[in-house]
Amino acid sequence: MDKVLIEVEDLKKHYHTSKGTLKAVDGVSLVIRKGETFGLVGESGCGKSTLIRTILRLLYPTSGKIIFEGRNIAHLHEKDLKDLRKRMGIVFQDPHSSLNPRMTIFDILARPLKIHKIVKNRDDMVLRIVEILKLMGLQAEHMIRFPHELSGGQKQRVAIARALMVEPEILFLDEPTSALDVSVQAKILKLLDKVKKQRNLTYFYISHDINLIRVVSDRIAVMYLGKIVELGEKDLVFQKPLHPYTNGLFRSVPIPDPDVKIEKIPLEGEVPSPVNPPSGCRFHPRCEFAKSVCKGKEPKLMKVEDGRMVACHLYQ
Amino acid sequence: MGTLLEIRDLKVSFDTEEGKVEALDGVNLKVKEGEFHALIGETGCGKTVTGLTILGLLDNNAKIENGQVIYKGIDLLKLTEKQLQQQIRGKEITMIFQDPSTSLDPIFTIEEQMLEALENELELTKEEKLKIITEELRKVKLPDVEELLKKYPHQLSGGMKQRVMIAMMLSCRPSLLIADEPTTALDVSTQAQFLKILEDLKRETKITAIYITHNLAVVSEICDTVSVMYAGRIVETASLKEIFLNPQHPYTYKLLHSVLGIETDIEQLQEIPGSVPKLINPPSGCRFHPRCEEAKDICKTKIPKLQEISDGHFVACHKRVMEWTKC
Amino acid sequence: MTSEDLSYEQLKKEIKRLKRKRSSQVNLVWKRFTKNRLALIGFIMVSIVIFMAIFSPIVSPYDPYKTNPLERFKPPSMKHILGTDALGRDVFSRLVYGSRIALEIGALIVLFEGMIGISLGLISGYFGGVVDKVIMWLVDVLRSFPIVVLALAIAGILGQGVINVVIALGTVGWTSYARMVRSKVLTIKELDYIEAARSIGESNLSIILRYVFPNVLPTVIVMVYLMMPTALIASATLSFLGLGVQPPTADWGSIIAEGRMYLLKAPWISTSAGFFIMFTVLGFNFIGDGLRDALDPTSRRN
């Protein structure tokens, strides 16, 4: 459990736009341990999608280190990435757009096997595909279908199967259930949980759904405007969120209980643009505890107690 | 509290290339004055179609086969397009949609669009209209109203657009608001702000609302009554507390227990076997029977009626109704 | 069905069903297409022209090249449905043979410009950056010339003849394909399945061929039908101006040119040739519009 799988160090991904530099990911450091489920939560535009795509090297990082199994992959050349593609997988949010509409399910699942030359012959390939379909709770006959003939939940199962085809070490899950109905969501989450235990995988979930992250994760991180503001063991963070943003965010979540209502508006205002973000602590204009130091100096992500880190001047 | 809107045995079908889709099959719904009535269900259960039917906004390939929509004593389905446009839409009943950016016209400023919404108010001068508009925008807690009026929709964030929509709709002082997944496109913090605004409105203006959503947590924040839809029918209607604490229909029960937040452990999440049926060829009898663990023979043949089993608690399930009549 | 009880034979059966399924998708498009009355009329019109082209010797009552000084400038009659020309040749027979040349040249032009345009459009849209800028600059430059004038210049340099007509028109025509394909690629490129393809290690070439191109294909098919008329008219124009197909070859453009001199004396020569061109062009346009609606039902409204 304590073996480090991925170590990200001061990772940055900046874009040049006509309005200025957009700092989508701006100095993120974190560690993913082998076998854990890591949950990253944040609102739209906080950079969580960009972060995992950069770790996966679907995007080229501006600076920083990504150490995967002892090797820095941050600046590997495009053509040296093929081996990496076999070891990390990703499942996208919207299964309707993540499957090529002109390929059958068989073709979709056969591609990873062909690219990485994993199987010897066609019979082997068919067997592998039938096996994974079965693991996903689909039937062999689904392989002859096109994506549009399947329901949303079935499509997402195919997308998961595609990512698992090459037997990766880690699966990145980008809001894997947010496009699905509640009852389907429950099924997909249970399926992912089962597969993780069976294959001893590591999961990296990202989501804006705090309840989801709470249910699936071992450790969580909260992201705001390109930076991680809090990170730690799930139970600790949920019991007592330290960063004012985390606290406000958690209190914004409606609780499905008729007796519990959201008290006064927990977070006023809106997330500022990541182009020219506020100085110092990026949360200071919305923070009720902001002091003068918060405007001038950027707080570092520091360990405050065992198993948790926070980036806030209140604790430093 | 009197009944503001009543839907009786509404049947709506769609002609598609694959065949006839029975989108609504005998929907019965009573919305009381001043309440927030939630219409919940999964994709394709007919909740949006219900909302659109009330306002006569269905597509051309839709056909209303049967039923009445009684609003303040008038059957809305009998009105002509012109009557609906002049007397009902905007004035009496308004609807807000999931994606605020598609409801606002990108080439007009907020001020122009809000004035447009008031164009039927002939007795008001422009100054009076502007006064109403600023007032409404302040009510939804939008900052810098004067500046905001000169802006175009793309200059606003999603949450602000949704608030502008609310303000626009309020300026016409409707009696009934139909909100179709209004917070689904918003972030949690903006959603919380939006829900607060709705709550204030509810308290101050006594407006009635039909709140269409799949999100049970949001429902528990602001709704009073909940109707659960499944495959084109209403399977259960009860007060918010009853639905959460004493769900009767097996579908309602399962749905509640697949919500994250009610269940906090993956192991405890309930699964509903099978998937939502296609409405081209829906299951006979109770449409939930193929997925129901308690289904009996009668469920396969006979359509269960929505029956009151305790004060204000209606359920359409053979088994539950039988149990209730026994005791 | 599970992997244990699924024999190889059964799988083969499944694959067969898959093929039937594929054809049922074609059926759906065909059903939508035939529901559209104009498209069906277009289909019949083009079929007639194709039939004439294939069976020219059977359809035409006379030899299109046989001159007959005794039968000059005969107006349409039972003997010569569309009359005769200055050399006494049967106009209808010449027009029937002309459909061969017209379709041949049309098909060659579309093939030529399509291949260049689609490849460059794919490359330009997918890679973007400098490559995109250069290709689109070329497109803009070529398009800023009036098409026929440019083709005229090229035909003037290369000389007369069928192949030169194809090259001349194709040099300009590919720009339409490139633009259309590029804009389609730009939208497809943003879809998750392209990123998903990269995440499993697909190469750029494989992504273009397996993921991008198949999704551009419906647009291209429609494009081909809509570009065919342009090609037909342009090639007829070149022939009319004496730079394309040379007399005495029976070509619609040159028939109009020949008839032009006798427009008052024998108006049937040019007008019937004009009608044949219009008929074919209209047919292809109807098919193109119908196909667009059938392949992409979302764009059907309005």
Side-chain angles (χ1 to χ4, degrees):
Chain A
M1 194 66 174
D2 282 317
K3 238 180 105 190
V4 171
L5 184 67
I6 298 179
E7 194 177 349
V8 175
E9 259 182 66
D10 199 27
L11 191 66
K12 288 182 183 171
K13 176 68 189 170
H14 295 178
Y15 292 97
H16 296 286
T17 69
S18 54
K19 286 179 197 153
T21 310
L22 190 157
K23 297 175 178 170
V25 174
D26 200 25
V28 166
S29 301
L30 52 85
V31 167
I32 310 293
R33 297 179 192 141
K34 214 170 159 55
E36 75 172 341
T37 299
F38 189 85
L40 179 65
V41 65
E43 296 183 273
S44 54
C46 73
K48 54 188 192 304
S49 278
T50 313
L51 175 65
I52 63 160
R53 279 162 178 75
T54 314
I55 298 178
L56 272 159
R57 281 301 318 278
L58 290 168
L59 295 172
Y60 194 80
T62 307
S63 68
K65 276 187 190 164
I66 307 161
I67 297 164
F68 178 60
E69 296 187 321
R71 192 161 68 124
N72 185 4
I73 58 162
H75 299 285
L76 276 187
H77 196 270
E78 192 77 30
K79 57 178 182 267
D80 301 323
L81 289 172
K82 204 169 152 187
D83 176 55
L84 197 68
R85 301 280 178 246
K86 216 164 80 184
R87 327 254 309 258
M88 298 182 178
I90 176 169
V91 176
F92 295 90
Q93 170 175 12
D94 185 0
H96 307 291
S97 71
S98 73
L99 303 177
N100 183 354
R102 310 245 157 220
M103 276 190 186
T104 59
I105 305 308
F106 179 87
D107 290 334
I108 289 171
L109 298 179
R111 282 310 297 163
L113 298 177
K114 284 184 188 162
I115 295 165
H116 299 285
K117 304 191 177 64
I118 289 174
V119 285
K120 286 182 215 80
N121 51 42
R122 199 177 157 84
D123 290 9
D124 244 20
M125 183 186 293
V126 171
L127 219 70
R128 285 283 280 262
I129 290 175
V130 172
E131 223 171 295
I132 197 117
L133 285 174
K134 199 185 144 200
L135 177 68
M136 290 296 117
L138 295 166
Q139 276 125 39
E141 69 123 19
H142 279 119
M143 72 168 98
I144 61 167
R145 308 248 172 241
F146 282 94
H148 71 91
E149 297 173 274
L150 307 186
S151 69
Q154 289 172 330
K155 280 186 221 175
Q156 197 60 304
R157 285 163 200 259
V158 172
I160 296 169
R162 171 179 56 196
L164 290 175
M165 221 61 224
V166 291
E167 307 200 341
E169 312 268 324
I170 178 167
L171 217 52
F172 289 81
L173 299 141
D174 182 358
E175 314 245 13
T177 60
S178 72
L180 307 172
D181 272 319
V182 255
S183 70
V184 185
Q185 164 171 293
K187 286 184 192 172
I188 297 288
L189 291 180
K190 287 196 133 177
L191 175 69
L192 282 167
D193 191 48
K194 185 180 93 183
V195 174
K196 178 174 184 278
K197 285 183 184 138
Q198 227 175 63
R199 302 201 165 185
N200 202 13
L201 288 164
T202 307
Y203 280 173
F204 190 138
Y205 271 93
I206 63 169
S207 180
H208 68 275
D209 185 343
I210 288 132
N211 282 325
L212 171 87
I213 292 295
R214 182 176 198 160
V215 168
V216 297
S217 319
D218 299 320
R219 289 194 307 138
I220 70 161
V222 181
M223 206 166 164
Y224 185 76
L225 274 180
K227 286 186 172 293
I228 287 182
V229 294
E230 187 158 4
L231 190 154
E233 302 290 333
K234 171 185 70 177
D235 291 335
L236 294 177
V237 179
F238 272 102
Q239 267 158 29
K240 195 173 162 246
L242 294 178
H243 197 284
Y245 174 66
T246 316
N247 191 20
L249 187 68
F250 287 1
R251 280 196 292 121
S252 304
V253 183
I255 309 288
D257 179 340
D259 291 326
V260 185
K261 308 267 176 194
I262 298 172
E263 290 154 38
K264 72 174 183 71
I265 297 174
L267 276 177
E268 293 281 358
E270 303 200 359
V271 184
S273 155
V275 182
N276 300 320
S279 63
C281 171
R282 293 181 181 186
F283 185 62
H284 86 256
R286 298 173 74 189
C287 181
E288 51 182 322
F289 307 107
K291 300 180 285 189
S292 57
V293 60
C294 302
K295 275 175 211 151
K297 204 176 143 221
E298 203 171 301
K300 283 208 179 82
L301 189 65
M302 299 217 290
K303 192 167 167 181
V304 283
E305 55 184 272
D306 256 358
R308 65 188 307 185
M309 295 167 93
V310 67
C312 177
H313 288 301
L314 291 177
Y315 304 95
Q316 288 174 3
Chain B
M1 279 192 291
T3 303
L4 182 70
L5 178 94
E6 186 177 356
I7 297 176
R8 289 186 198 146
D9 202 25
L10 184 64
K11 286 188 187 178
V12 174
S13 67
F14 288 89
D15 266 328
T16 67
E17 272 170 356
E18 288 94 45
K20 191 172 126 182
V21 176
E22 295 173 28
L24 296 184
D25 189 48
V27 166
N28 287 291
L29 187 72
K30 257 188 202 174
V31 181
K32 292 194 204 93
E33 239 168 90
E35 77 172 347
F36 268 45
H37 195 118
L39 211 50
I40 64 168
E42 299 180 89
T43 316
C45 70
K47 50 194 197 301
T48 299
V49 177
T50 309
L52 293 174
T53 312
I54 296 171
L55 277 175
L57 292 173
L58 289 172
D59 280 344
N60 291 334
N61 63 339
K63 195 177 157 213
I64 296 169
E65 314 239 336
N66 186 30
Q68 292 169 304
V69 177
I70 313 286
Y71 172 78
K72 290 184 175 170
I74 315 162
D75 185 356
L76 295 183
L77 300 182
K78 292 218 171 73
L79 296 185
T80 60
E81 172 65 24
K82 205 176 159 192
Q83 284 171 316
L84 278 172
Q85 189 64 38
Q86 286 178 345
Q87 298 162 19
I88 304 296
R89 286 183 210 142
K91 274 198 152 173
E92 290 286 339
I93 308 175
T94 52
M95 190 155 177
I96 52 174
F97 297 92
Q98 174 173 348
D99 188 358
S101 43
T102 55
S103 315
L104 290 168
D105 195 328
I107 61 165
F108 293 106
T109 59
I110 301 302
E111 179 177 331
E112 285 164 328
Q113 303 198 37
M114 294 203 64
L115 282 172
E116 166 102 30
L118 286 175
E119 70 171 354
N120 280 348
E121 312 284 332
L122 298 171
E123 67 277 19
L124 295 177
T125 64
K126 196 183 166 191
E127 279 68 35
E128 284 171 316
K129 283 182 189 172
L130 274 176
K131 214 181 131 209
I132 297 178
I133 290 170
T134 10
E135 207 173 287
E136 297 301 342
L137 286 172
R138 288 220 174 86
K139 240 187 236 168
V140 294
K141 305 205 171 61
L142 277 162
D144 306 326
V145 172
E146 274 74 26
E147 212 174 296
L148 180 95
L149 282 172
K150 302 281 172 277
K151 285 189 174 166
Y152 288 91
H154 72 266
Q155 293 167 299
L156 308 181
S157 69
M160 283 164 92
K161 277 186 234 173
Q162 202 59 300
R163 281 193 241 175
V164 168
M165 285 307 297
I166 288 275
M168 193 184 282
M169 151 239 123
L170 283 177
S171 65
C172 309
R173 314 214 173 277
S175 312
L176 178 63
L177 164 68
I178 303 174
D180 189 359
E181 305 266 10
T183 65
T184 307
L186 304 181
D187 268 319
V188 257
S189 65
T190 356
Q191 169 174 286
Q193 295 167 2
F194 183 84
L195 291 176
K196 275 286 155 218
I197 289 162
L198 274 191
E199 217 179 296
D200 290 348
L201 284 176
K202 183 181 171 185
R203 204 177 37 242
E204 285 158 21
T205 63
K206 306 265 182 285
I207 191 167
T208 312
I210 297 177
Y211 199 98
I212 299 170
T213 183
H214 67 274
N215 189 334
L216 281 147
V218 170
V219 165
S220 79
E221 283 294 322
I222 62 166
C223 292
D224 309 296
T225 314
V226 180
S227 286
V228 183
M229 282 190 90
Y230 182 79
R233 291 186 193 140
I234 287 182
V235 295
E236 186 160 3
T237 298
S239 70
L240 181 68
K241 277 205 170 157
E242 275 283 301
I243 285 283
F244 273 83
L245 303 177
N246 187 22
Q248 287 300 311
H249 199 282
Y251 175 68
T252 315
Y253 180 83
K254 287 276 189 183
L255 192 66
L256 277 170
H257 290 277
S258 51
V259 175
L260 302 168
I262 290 184
E263 296 301 342
T264 47
D265 190 334
I266 261 195
E267 309 287 334
Q268 281 162 356
L269 282 180
Q270 290 277 337
E271 289 186 56
I272 309 177
S275 53
V276 178
K278 291 229 165 81
L279 295 181
I280 286 183
N281 200 358
S284 61
C286 171
R287 287 185 172 178
F288 188 61
H289 86 255
R291 307 175 70 188
C292 183
E293 284 156 7
E294 302 169 56
K296 294 182 191 168
D297 287 342
I298 186 174
C299 304
K300 290 176 193 153
T301 50
K302 207 177 153 211
I303 301 173
K305 273 202 185 109
L306 199 60
Q307 286 182 16
E308 192 163 13
I309 55 165
S310 63
D311 192 25
H313 194 149
F314 297 82
V315 65
C317 174
H318 292 302
K319 191 158 181 264
R320 293 286 173 268
V321 171
M322 261 186 279
E323 278 165 11
W324 166 76
T325 36
K326 254 182 226 159
C327 41
Chain C
M1 224 178 279
T2 60
S3 55
E4 282 90 15
D5 53 46
L6 194 93
S7 71
Y8 201 70
E9 285 309 304
Q10 277 173 305
L11 262 175
K12 272 189 191 154
K13 256 188 236 161
E14 303 272 286
I15 305 283
K16 250 185 211 158
R17 259 178 56 200
L18 153 77
K19 285 186 180 138
R20 222 174 301 143
K21 195 84 202 174
R22 266 194 181 141
S23 68
S24 87
Q25 263 187 308
V26 175
N27 283 345
L28 184 69
V29 170
W30 177 244
K31 214 172 112 189
R32 285 195 203 127
F33 182 79
T34 48
K35 253 192 198 165
N36 185 339
R37 197 170 292 164
L38 269 186
L40 202 61
I41 292 172
F43 183 75
I44 294 168
M45 288 162 81
V46 170
S47 302
I48 292 172
V49 178
I50 292 174
F51 182 82
M52 283 197 310
I54 296 172
F55 299 103
S56 304
I58 301 167
V59 179
S60 59
Y62 299 92
D63 180 344
Y65 298 112
K66 194 170 173 265
T67 57
N68 187 348
L70 297 175
E71 296 273 326
R72 295 174 69 214
F73 298 124
K74 284 277 187 282
S77 65
M78 288 306 283
K79 205 173 163 197
H80 298 284
I81 326 173
L82 294 176
T84 59
D85 66 4
L87 300 174
R89 294 173 297 194
D90 181 52
V91 173
F92 179 67
S93 301
R94 285 183 67 72
L95 289 172
V96 168
Y97 272 88
S99 62
R100 255 186 194 184
I101 303 272
L103 290 186
E104 260 172 38
I105 295 188
L108 275 175
I109 292 173
V110 166
L111 194 74
F112 181 69
E113 61 188 15
M115 272 182 354
I116 300 177
I118 294 164
S119 326
L120 289 181
L122 283 170
I123 292 169
S124 173
Y126 184 78
F127 290 105
V130 183
V131 187
D132 181 37
K133 278 205 180 103
V134 170
I135 294 175
M136 282 303 118
W137 174 81
L138 199 63
V139 167
D140 286 338
V141 169
L142 282 173
R143 286 184 78 100
S144 61
F145 289 104
I147 293 182
V148 174
V149 174
L150 189 67
L152 248 162
I154 295 172
I157 297 164
L158 295 175
Q160 302 148 341
V162 175
I163 293 303
N164 290 344
V165 169
V166 172
I167 294 174
L169 292 175
T171 312
V172 188
W174 68 268
T175 55
S176 310
Y177 288 87
R179 264 201 181 166
M180 188 75 192
V181 169
R182 175 181 174 269
S183 74
K184 195 80 192 163
V185 172
L186 288 180
T187 29
I188 291 173
K189 205 171 75 169
E190 296 306 314
L191 294 173
D192 286 347
Y193 60 80
I194 301 297
E195 204 166 31
R198 291 186 57 213
S199 83
I200 57 166
E202 293 275 19
S203 65
N204 282 330
L205 184 67
S206 176
I207 293 179
I208 293 180
L209 295 181
R210 291 197 171 85
Y211 296 80
V212 181
F213 182 65
N215 288 290
V216 178
L217 197 60
T219 319
V220 169
I221 293 173
V222 172
M223 189 89 196
V224 163
Y225 276 94
L226 293 176
M227 284 298 282
M228 191 75 179
T230 321
L232 284 175
I233 291 176
S235 96
T237 312
L238 284 191
S239 301
F240 177 82
L241 295 170
L243 285 162
V245 182
Q246 293 304 301
T249 311
D251 173 87
W252 293 346
S254 31
I255 293 174
I256 296 184
E258 286 161 27
R260 185 185 49 143
M261 288 177 265
Y262 317 107
L263 211 50
L264 289 176
K265 198 173 168 194
W268 56 84
I269 304 174
S270 292
T271 41
S272 42
F275 175 77
F276 267 58
I277 294 177
M278 194 189 79
F279 185 83
T280 316
V281 164
L282 217 57
F284 274 108
N285 273 332
F286 286 161
I287 294 184
D289 285 340
L291 269 180
R292 179 172 49 207
D293 295 349
L295 286 169
D296 185 10
T298 46
S299 72
R300 202 167 1 179
R301 301 261 162 90
N302 306 322

